[in-house]
Amino acid sequence: GENVEQHPSTLSVQEGDSAVIKCTYSDSASNYFPWYKQELGKGPQLIIDIRSNVGEKKDQRIAVTLNKTAKHFSLHITETQPEDSAVYFCAAGDEMDSSYKLIFGSGTRLLVRP
Amino acid sequence: NAGVTQTPKFRVLKTGQSMTLLCAQDMNHEYMYWYRQDPGMGLRLIHYSVGEGTTAKGEVPDGYNVSRLKKQNFLLGLESAAPSQTSVYFCATSDRGNEQFFGPGTRLTVL
């Protein structure tokens, strides 16, 4: 089955700096890669996703890159702000499987220092 | 619209007791999922449903049962709770392969 590894487990950056979180996956059939942000006491919320037919996607300060050959994908946050502090999860899924199951990474706790 | 709601928000059980967690959605989504979240382990899928009347096992189904009698509700049952089931439980819904929307979670402690 699919296995998703996420690094680092914790990340501390200065406000205004960039943050990068990396994930690797094992199942070459995976073709959907979402990123979720979880604030304290809340459920995860989708911030960006990418499908295997593209290599990069951007949404304002957030970008995701995908390397299918190497089976890894990364989240990039530029010009970080204190409100970016949260736990971030990557996930991998196979849209060919009608269940649309996702396998999640173990999470990265991001702290943005003012 | 309330989105995805979960009942209860907190619960403490003794070993061997049973309980049911309720997930309700008003988004008219076909797919519903139950996850558990443990420190350092991300979210793991317990059971899921691809439509009313259907259920299937996820990664960690042992010790849990589910039912989807109505499209808008997905119930997670623990027949005989164990300390290893202490966790935060999240329900999620999706419109087929699109974004999964998560509820606020239920924090369960089994003593």
Side-chain angles (χ1 to χ4, degrees):
Chain A
E2 175 66 278
N3 181 51
V4 178
E5 294 192 359
Q6 183 172 346
H7 300 280
S9 57
T10 60
L11 180 59
S12 180
V13 300
Q14 194 70 38
E15 181 178 358
D17 288 349
S18 296
V20 180
I21 303 170
K22 299 182 178 181
C23 288
T24 60
Y25 61 99
S26 61
D27 189 350
S28 57
S30 292
N31 51 24
Y32 174 60
F33 307 93
W35 285 88
Y36 284 82
K37 176 182 181 182
Q38 185 177 26
E39 297 177 337
L40 193 62
K42 297 183 178 180
Q45 185 173 11
L46 182 75
I47 54 172
I48 195 168
D49 58 12
I50 191 168
R51 286 174 166 81
S52 59
N53 56 345
V54 297
E56 184 176 5
K57 184 177 179 181
K58 289 184 179 180
D59 183 4
Q60 299 183 332
R61 297 185 296 108
I62 294 173
V64 58
T65 59
L66 171 65
N67 183 327
K68 285 219 74 177
T69 302
K71 295 183 189 172
H72 66 71
F73 56 113
S74 301
L75 177 71
H76 304 254
I77 306 174
T78 58
E79 300 174 16
T80 53
Q81 301 168 3
E83 51 265 37
D84 294 328
S85 295
V87 180
Y88 291 80
F89 292 96
C90 63
D94 174 9
E95 287 190 300
M96 294 301 292
D97 177 352
S98 61
S99 64
Y100 298 101
K101 290 180 291 187
L102 295 177
I103 302 299
F104 284 82
S106 55
T108 297
R109 184 174 300 278
L110 174 64
L111 173 64
V112 180
R113 306 186 305 274
Chain B
N1 290 344
V4 182
T5 59
Q6 292 183 232
T7 308
K9 290 183 170 54
F10 303 94
R11 185 72 186 268
V12 178
L13 290 178
K14 294 182 179 179
T15 297
Q17 288 185 318
S18 63
M19 77 162 295
T20 300
L21 284 68
L22 170 64
C23 176
Q25 54 117 347
D26 61 4
M27 307 173 82
N28 201 34
H29 285 167
E30 288 291 336
Y31 293 74
M32 297 188 75
Y33 312 81
W34 274 108
Y35 293 90
R36 60 178 288 173
Q37 183 175 39
D38 302 295
M41 299 188 72
L43 294 112
R44 292 182 292 168
L45 183 65
I46 305 171
H47 286 281
Y48 63 97
S49 168
V50 299
E52 181 179 325
T54 75
T55 63
K57 294 179 179 180
E59 296 174 77
V60 289
D62 294 343
Y64 305 95
N65 57 76
V66 288
S67 64
R68 183 99 181 267
L69 299 180
K70 294 182 179 180
K71 183 178 182 179
Q72 64 268 33
N73 294 339
F74 195 28
L75 279 66
L76 177 70
L78 286 73
E79 290 186 350
S80 180
S84 60
Q85 294 178 304
T86 293
S87 188
V88 181
Y89 292 85
F90 287 99
C91 174
T93 74
S94 73
D95 180 13
R96 293 179 62 81
N98 295 319
E99 175 182 359
Q100 289 192 17
F101 292 85
F102 284 81
T106 294
R107 186 173 294 275
L108 175 66
T109 301
V110 183
L111 302 175

